[in-house]
Amino acid sequence: MQPDKLVYMANQIATFFKSQPGDDGAERIAAHLRDFWDPSMRAHLCELAKQDDQVLDENVRKAVALLN
Amino acid sequence: MKDFVIPSDDRDLGTPAREGAPVTLQIDGFEVTVPEGTSVMRAAALAGLSIPKLCATDSVEAFGSCRLCVVEIEGRRGTPASCTTPVAPGMVVHTRNEKLRKLRRGVMELYISDHPLDCLTCAANGDCELQDMAGVVGLRDVRYQAPEGAGLANHFAPRNTSGEANPEWLPKDDSNPYFTYDPAKCIVCSRCVRACEEVQGTFALTIEGRGFDSRVSFGAKSDTALASDCVSCGACVQACPTATLQEKSVIELGTPTRSVITTCAYCGVGCSFKAELNGDELVRMVPYKHGKANRGHSCVKGRFAYGYANHKDRILNPMIRDSIDQPWREVSWEEALSFAAAKMRGIQAEYGRKSVGVITSSRCTNEETYLVQKLTRAVFGNNNTDTCARVCHSPTGYGLGQTFGTSAGTQDFDSVEQADVIMVIGANPHAGHPVFASRMKKRLRAGAKLIVVDPRRTETVQGPHYKAAHHLALRPGTNVAVVTAMAHVIVTEGLMNEDFIRTRCDWDEFQHYAEFVSDPRHSPEASELLTGVPAAELRAAARLFATGGNGAIYYGLGVTEHSQGSTTVMGIANLAMLTGNVGRRGVGVNPLRGQNNVQGSCDMGSFPHELPGYRHVKLPEVRAIFEQAWGVEIDPEPGLRIPNMLDAAVAGQFKGLYCQGEDILQSDPDTKHVAAGLAAMECVIVHDLFLNETANYAHVFLPGSTFLEKDGTFTNAERRINRVRQVMAPRNGYADWEVTQLLANAMGANWRYTHPSQIMDEIALTTPSFAGVDYATLEEKGSVQWPCNDANPEGTPLMHVDGFVRGKGRFIVTEYVATDEKTGPRFPLLLTTGRILSQYNVGAQTRRTDNVVWHDEDLLEIHPHDAEQRGINQGDWVKLASRSGETTLRATLTDRVSPGVVYTTFHHPVTQANVITTDYSDWATNCPEYKVTAVQISPSNGPSEWQEEYQAQAALSRRILPAAE
Ligand code: SF4
Ligand code: SF4
Ligand code: SF4
Ligand code: FES
């Protein structure tokens, strides 16, 4: 899947949860990804998170860590 | 199984029903008890003592003009008209005696003296109330003659015996493709005029002139039906007691002799119809008066646009090919299915279990959809299933699920009759949900207030005898900001319903929310710059909604098809909870679902993360139910959604697709990307009526059946499960559920359904909200609204009455995030899309009917100011370009759209409006952002290169080799 799209989608999710009260943003992103993303998409995102050149939201990076 | 149902009590009771305290009276010696306000005519008819009548019919209010319905009432003078006389306690009525007989004959004699006596060759022969009444009153002879030398003095003879033209005679108007108006046969009962006003709300008809000169007329501004305001709903045709307004199909085919009750297969209103036939020849569709969604009304699509079923383009034989540059080869069902099965199994062997998937259809029945998702979960062994709801109402599922706990509308359509303030957001019911619009307009004419939130001044904003109190013409993409600003006004001005919030909602979450919306940056004044909605107007609208009585919200794709679609849905739910507008009649949150069964396809587990009944695949207890029923193991991980499937295809990981009744190439955004995805697949199976656009990339074509050719159920936008009944045998040989079963079995499943009712039984067995649904129940009750189970044996017209499904309602913070689809120097305008009344969705069906007379091409609406700057005139060809692609179409100049905004429909494949739309989508559900695209417009002189290439490819791909002998 095109990396830029996955990154874009993940960041969109992060933006929503950032606006929500509480400091469990990363957990909620991870839960959303687990609930709605097929495992291959999640795996791909995890791969991408390892590369520095991807502009991933900080909370997405935290969420990715929780996915494993 | 009894499939041919003859409607039980379909009689015309003369005047509409009333609600009120019981009143008892005596008619012809019988005691009758009816609600207060009922007419004597209706009371008599209910007691089986029908009174002769001509100008009364129970779809419209009585008018009292024909005087055929006279009765005698003891203690009252004269002979009052029973249709306009309300019952009174103790009244003693006589409907038959010598005096009344004489009066009635006299009336009839006058009518018939000005009516042609060509009954035997009349299209309404046997279906004419004038004829019936002449019989009932015992008319035996007509004595009136035109006076000597005084002209013809009738309306029906074109010429007198000496060949002079009769000035009173008017020719037949057959400009409308579906019905004719023959003034010669008109008895000026005004039933048509009243139907157009009261039932449809269009006010296209009037009675012109007085006395002998009175004529029905299609308005002053034009001469013909087609050129008038008429929207061809057919209500007048249905109300007309004579052949004056008559379906052309009846003129051509003769009067029908049998009827079957079924459900419209177009929009999410889900109107019930009587399909009237001779043998298996469909003569006409008549909206069914006991249909609970439509109450006897319909629109032009459902009533008239069924001709596609017999269109020459329909494909009736299965076809295959090895690659998409080859022509199609017609083959037997066996060959097509084993070819398809071998390909899919081959792909799975080579690329893995998850390399294939399905798209279920929101146009097919619940039973069919259920089988298609079962195919992927139980036979393919993955959860790669999705449906077109992805591209329309998936944010409704997510948003309402999060806030209320169910992903469906809260009300039935009847509820609108009790609404005081109706807020329509991002929807144009006039065009998209016409029968609901008629019911809403009736309520508006009775005084309810309307707020419309839409970038465009749609037909819904203003109509005959009503006008929206507020039209918030926001910039496309700023829904969240508008909805949040409304909440700001309600909270900061203390207009919320604190009682409701305290008892029904999570108070802590409300505190957070109240703090969030109260921030001055959410005030209408602060957001005005962003949204373009004047702050004072928005404040007034918010106050009206909060304080105007029962507030009901209806919304459509203008809400969901945005990057923040899910967030807006939550914002709408917040508004309803803030004002306490949930859980009783006249209020609620109502998504107006697009396609006939999009609600059902969602209910039936079409989404990759949910099994039927909206239960996540991760839940072991839910999987266990289906694992036991199906005897297979179910993948606990969510599968791919449509956009993900296409992305995965382009990346080479997704190779096979079974697509039932859905044209993703035309209806999904970013056509080029969809085409690339499809082209990258090794086996695309298209199961449809026509060689649609997606089929250009298909390897297997399985012919589909129309809703007239199968049994099943559709679930409409009010969660109402309506029966679809077979009225004729499938022309392609199999109903769609049978085709899916054949494919599954070709792949080794051992399914043995012999009737869709067995599929429904399986649904009921596995899905708690459907536990009480079976065909016998539907037969008995007509329809039910889910949840229907032991707790709600009668179904559930209103949801969340005593508490939300999830317990406490949740207020969710809705921060506005600007879409990344921004205007700039290259693409300075915003394109938004919609639909029009006569066409449906991608138009595959309606384009193949006479509905094209109303809309034969997609037009680009542009504000005169923007047009002038670009040197564009009315009717010019223009190039419409976005960062995704470009297309050409003709422009129409209108101030319905604001400067900076352009608008088009997407009913025609030549236009390919989705070449323009981008791949941005809703953050939560990937629902594409159809409603906002930054574009530029420039004059052009013809089709774009892409359109030409596309047409060439399509033509090449649609070739069919003659069948091998
Ligand atoms: S078809 Fe409908 S809109 Fe047209 S005149 Fe008749 S009732 Fe009115
Ligand atoms: S057209 Fe039909 S319904 Fe209308 S006034 Fe004439 S007879 Fe009555
Ligand atoms: S298209 Fe919709 S409104 Fe029109 S008849 Fe069908 S269900 Fe009813
Ligand atoms: S039916 Fe009552 S006056 Fe015509």
Side-chain angles (χ1 to χ4, degrees):
Chain A
M1 216 167 281
Q2 293 105 305
D4 50 332
K5 259 196 195 174
L6 273 188
V7 167
Y8 185 84
M9 282 157 48
N11 287 344
Q12 259 184 310
I13 296 167
T15 308
F16 175 80
F17 286 111
K18 202 167 286 172
S19 72
Q20 299 303 304
D23 46 17
D24 54 353
E27 284 80 7
R28 294 174 71 180
I29 296 169
H32 188 92
L33 294 176
R34 259 191 230 109
D35 279 357
F36 297 102
W37 283 29
D38 141 291
S40 69
M41 292 166 67
R42 296 190 321 247
H44 194 175
L45 183 69
C46 293
E47 279 307 303
L48 292 172
K50 289 183 196 145
Q51 303 164 14
D52 302 327
D53 55 345
Q54 296 294 340
V55 256
L56 269 183
D57 186 283
E58 187 196 347
N59 272 346
V60 175
R61 286 188 191 278
K62 285 190 200 147
V64 163
L66 295 171
L67 279 179
N68 297 320
Chain B
M1 181 67 36
K2 177 161 134 277
D3 274 340
F4 296 118
V5 171
I6 305 301
S8 48
D9 188 2
D10 218 8
R11 290 175 306 144
D12 180 356
L13 301 174
T15 64
R18 290 283 184 267
E19 280 172 24
V23 172
T24 302
L25 68 162
Q26 206 194 70
I27 305 179
D28 293 343
F30 295 92
E31 291 260 291
V32 186
T33 304
V34 292
E36 193 181 345
T38 303
S39 69
V40 170
M41 172 178 281
R42 187 178 174 95
L46 284 168
L49 306 160
S50 37
I51 300 170
K53 65 179 186 57
L54 277 174
C55 69
T57 184
D58 59 10
S59 61
V60 293
E61 294 299 328
F63 191 57
S65 71
C66 75
R67 307 222 23 101
L68 196 64
C69 68
V70 288
V71 290
E72 280 196 309
I73 298 173
E74 284 182 17
R76 292 204 194 176
R77 286 162 38 135
T79 49
S82 61
C83 62
T84 48
T85 307
V87 295
M91 200 179 230
V92 179
V93 180
H94 300 284
T95 75
R96 298 296 195 286
N97 61 32
E98 190 46 37
K99 179 174 171 195
L100 295 171
R101 224 174 346 261
K102 259 204 175 131
L103 276 170
R104 289 185 188 137
R105 272 196 202 151
V107 168
M108 261 335 270
E109 194 175 353
L110 271 169
Y111 270 112
I112 299 301
S113 69
D114 191 9
H115 197 86
L117 296 178
D118 56 2
C119 288
L120 284 183
T121 51
C122 177
N125 187 14
D127 183 27
C128 170
E129 294 179 39
L130 191 65
Q131 206 177 46
D132 297 346
M133 289 306 122
V136 166
V137 304
L139 182 70
R140 293 295 167 253
D141 111 66
V142 177
R143 294 160 300 173
Y144 296 101
Q145 291 286 330
E148 282 296 317
L152 270 179
N154 75 35
H155 294 99
F156 63 83
R159 296 176 180 283
N160 68 12
T161 41
S162 8
E164 281 163 43
N166 173 4
E168 301 289 347
W169 179 84
L170 293 174
K172 208 166 170 177
D173 175 351
D174 51 14
S175 59
N176 184 295
Y178 299 118
F179 62 84
T180 62
Y181 166 51
D182 183 357
K185 293 182 172 166
C186 181
I187 59 170
V188 204
C189 63
S190 92
R191 274 159 66 160
C192 54
V193 175
R194 282 173 284 148
C196 191
E197 293 179 4
E198 294 173 32
V199 180
Q200 164 58 23
T202 294
F203 292 69
L205 295 171
T206 50
I207 302 278
E208 257 176 22
R210 318 188 58 159
F212 190 68
D213 290 331
S214 312
R215 310 307 283 257
V216 170
S217 142
F218 280 90
K221 75 173 194 208
S222 65
D223 301 322
T224 69
L226 189 63
S228 72
D229 289 341
C230 166
V231 294
S232 197
C233 71
C236 56
V237 180
Q238 189 179 346
C240 181
T242 65
T244 313
L245 289 163
Q246 183 77 59
E247 295 92 347
K248 286 186 175 172
S249 59
V250 173
I251 297 177
E252 196 184 314
L253 301 170
T255 38
T257 49
R258 70 179 184 103
S259 69
V260 182
I261 307 294
T262 190
T263 304
C264 178
Y266 280 118
C267 87
V269 176
C271 297
S272 298
F273 277 91
K274 268 194 331 188
E276 299 193 340
L277 307 105
N278 281 320
D280 70 346
E281 190 172 63
L282 183 57
V283 177
R284 67 177 165 193
M285 298 287 273
V286 180
Y288 182 42
K289 71 195 278 191
H290 300 304
K292 295 194 182 102
N294 55 320
R295 305 277 175 201
H297 189 38
S298 77
C299 81
V300 59
K301 297 186 285 277
R303 191 193 295 258
F304 294 124
Y306 52 79
Y308 65 86
N310 288 318
H311 194 276
K312 63 174 173 35
D313 287 354
R314 196 161 155 204
I315 304 286
L316 300 172
N317 296 309
M319 304 190 295
I320 59 173
R321 60 182 167 191
D322 284 311
S323 71
I324 59 166
D325 50 19
Q326 295 175 348
W328 285 106
R329 210 150 46 81
E330 287 188 355
V331 295
S332 66
W333 278 100
E334 292 68 40
E335 186 174 352
L337 291 161
S338 55
F339 178 88
K343 279 229 174 195
M344 293 302 251
R345 282 298 186 216
I347 290 170
Q348 286 194 297
E350 189 172 347
Y351 302 98
R353 193 161 45 88
K354 298 194 178 188
S355 59
V356 298
V358 299
I359 296 178
T360 73
S361 175
S362 298
R363 309 206 310 250
C364 287
T365 62
N366 285 317
E367 293 76 3
E368 287 164 344
T369 305
Y370 177 86
L371 283 197
V372 174
Q373 61 91 31
K374 178 173 172 179
L375 175 71
T376 206
R377 301 196 205 272
V379 182
F380 296 174
N382 62 46
N383 287 316
N384 293 334
T385 169
D386 209 352
T387 185
C388 77
R390 173 65 55 210
V391 301
C392 62
H393 267 295
S394 52
T396 293
Y398 183 80
L400 294 185
Q402 294 290 312
T403 47
F404 293 170
T406 49
S407 56
T410 61
Q411 313 295 111
D412 57 8
F413 287 136
D414 286 349
S415 159
V416 77
E417 288 164 15
Q418 259 117 62
D420 299 310
V421 183
I422 300 169
M423 180 145 79
V424 176
I425 311 182
N428 183 13
H430 171 90
H433 301 82
V435 165
F436 167 70
S438 288
R439 302 188 66 182
M440 176 179 87
K441 289 174 189 173
K442 188 168 191 172
R443 181 66 194 151
L444 293 173
R445 289 196 303 276
K449 298 278 188 295
L450 174 68
I451 302 169
V452 176
V453 184
D454 199 300
R456 192 168 155 262
R457 200 178 69 240
T458 63
E459 300 93 332
T460 301
V461 173
Q462 187 174 1
H465 305 284
Y466 80 84
K467 182 173 191 271
H470 305 285
H471 172 208
L472 311 183
L474 76 181
R475 268 173 75 77
T478 60
N479 287 327
V480 171
V482 168
V483 168
T484 307
M486 288 188 87
H488 171 94
V489 175
I490 293 169
V491 172
T492 55
E493 297 188 4
L495 305 176
M496 63 268 192
N497 182 337
E498 196 177 319
D499 256 4
F500 181 92
I501 301 169
R502 279 191 186 275
T503 51
R504 300 286 303 273
C505 304
D506 186 310
W507 185 251
D508 285 343
E509 266 159 346
F510 171 71
Q511 296 294 320
H512 274 300
Y513 176 75
E515 194 186 321
F516 163 79
V517 292
S518 304
D519 192 311
R521 73 196 163 92
H522 297 304
S523 70
E525 290 72 20
S527 55
E528 175 171 342
L529 226 63
L530 205 70
T531 62
V533 178
E537 190 74 12
L538 193 144
R539 276 192 188 272
R543 288 175 193 140
L544 174 64
F545 183 72
T547 61
N550 284 342
I553 304 177
Y554 293 85
Y555 71 89
L557 305 184
V559 159
T560 53
E561 289 175 346
H562 287 283
S563 290
Q564 280 198 291
S566 293
T567 316
T568 311
V569 173
M570 297 185 226
I572 288 173
N574 289 340
L575 280 183
M577 291 188 290
L578 267 184
T579 51
N581 278 314
V582 187
R584 58 177 194 280
R585 289 180 58 107
V587 300
V589 174
N590 305 277
L592 291 169
R593 296 284 188 148
Q595 307 206 45
N596 55 321
N597 198 37
V598 66
Q599 179 70 51
S601 72
C602 297
D603 303 343
M604 290 298 105
S606 293
F607 288 139
H609 65 286
E610 278 169 348
L611 285 156
Y614 304 98
R615 290 164 298 165
H616 205 285
V617 290
K618 72 183 174 189
L619 303 170
E621 64 278 16
V622 179
R623 284 202 311 280
I625 298 172
F626 289 93
E627 288 176 344
Q628 205 197 345
W630 297 346
V632 294
E633 201 176 312
I634 292 173
D635 187 342
E637 288 286 356
L640 296 167
R641 303 171 284 193
I642 295 174
N644 312 145
M645 289 181 194
L646 294 165
D647 291 341
V650 171
Q653 293 144 6
F654 188 83
K655 293 287 186 185
L657 181 67
Y658 169 46
C659 182
Q660 182 178 70
E662 173 71 14
D663 193 358
I664 54 170
L665 185 57
Q666 197 187 343
S667 64
D668 284 39
D670 197 357
T671 309
K672 289 183 184 177
H673 180 65
V674 180
L678 288 168
M681 294 185 203
E682 291 178 10
C683 181
V684 175
I685 307 170
V686 167
H687 181 181
D688 213 297
L689 299 174
F690 304 105
L691 276 176
N692 60 16
E693 306 306 307
T694 308
N696 296 344
Y697 291 88
H699 307 85
V700 179
F701 186 90
L702 302 175
S705 51
T706 69
F707 76 112
L708 298 168
E709 299 166 338
K710 58 198 183 189
D711 279 302
T713 55
F714 290 152
T715 307
N716 75 354
E718 357 152 71
R719 295 171 275 106
R720 184 181 302 287
I721 306 163
N722 271 316
R723 273 287 266 118
V724 177
R725 294 188 176 86
Q726 192 181 49
V727 303
M728 54 179 78
R731 292 183 63 213
N732 57 321
Y734 293 108
D736 294 332
W737 61 272
E738 294 176 287
V739 175
T740 305
Q741 168 157 291
L742 287 169
L743 179 62
N745 288 348
M747 293 185 68
N750 190 15
W751 295 356
R752 292 187 189 162
Y753 305 103
T754 57
H755 191 274
S757 62
Q758 297 161 345
I759 307 173
M760 183 51 86
D761 292 342
E762 184 174 315
I763 297 167
L765 193 74
T766 50
T767 309
S769 48
F770 280 72
V773 183
D774 60 37
Y775 279 30
T777 307
L778 293 173
E779 213 61 53
E780 180 201 319
K781 300 191 201 303
S783 65
V784 289
Q785 289 172 273
W786 66 257
C788 176
N789 44 31
D790 284 346
N792 313 281
E794 296 295 314
T796 312
L798 298 179
M799 291 198 83
H800 317 298
V801 174
D802 301 312
F804 287 100
V805 167
R806 65 176 309 283
K808 292 274 183 190
R810 276 182 69 198
F811 281 93
I812 296 181
V813 167
T814 53
E815 185 75 68
Y816 168 71
V817 181
T819 167
D820 286 318
E821 184 64 20
K822 289 190 174 68
T823 52
R826 274 183 68 207
F827 301 113
L829 301 169
L830 285 179
L831 168 74
T832 185
T833 55
R835 54 174 76 178
I836 68 151
L837 171 67
S838 59
Q839 298 289 336
Y840 172 73
N841 223 19
V842 297
Q845 292 141 303
T846 43
R847 274 187 287 113
R848 292 184 172 92
T849 69
D850 287 329
N851 278 26
V852 289
V853 306
W854 289 282
H855 184 80
D856 55 1
E857 63 179 325
D858 293 318
L859 294 173
L860 184 81
E861 288 188 2
I862 179 169
H863 191 275
H865 173 78
D866 292 326
E868 194 189 328
Q869 278 190 338
R870 290 168 177 77
I872 291 164
N873 299 309
Q874 177 71 24
D876 280 359
W877 281 97
V878 293
K879 185 174 93 177
L880 173 66
S882 75
R883 65 183 169 84
S884 289
E886 59 184 56
T887 188
T888 56
L889 68 176
R890 289 194 309 140
T892 177
L893 276 47
T894 168
D895 65 357
R896 276 175 188 285
V897 288
S898 309
V901 177
V902 292
Y903 165 90
T904 188
T905 48
F906 58 98
H907 300 303
H908 290 270
V910 229
T911 324
Q912 289 279 358
N914 281 326
V915 174
I916 306 302
T917 51
T918 68
D919 57 5
Y920 284 135
S921 65
D922 175 47
W923 67 269
T925 67
N926 272 171
C927 179
E929 186 163 56
Y930 284 119
K931 299 291 181 182
V932 197
T933 312
V935 293
Q936 178 58 298
I937 285 158
S938 52
S940 136
N941 31 23
S944 70
E945 212 172 296
W946 156 263
Q947 278 166 305
E948 274 168 6
E949 272 170 30
Y950 184 89
Q951 287 312 321
Q953 197 273 341
L956 208 62
S957 164
R958 288 203 172 109
R959 289 168 303 156
I960 302 176
L961 287 182
E965 288 303 316

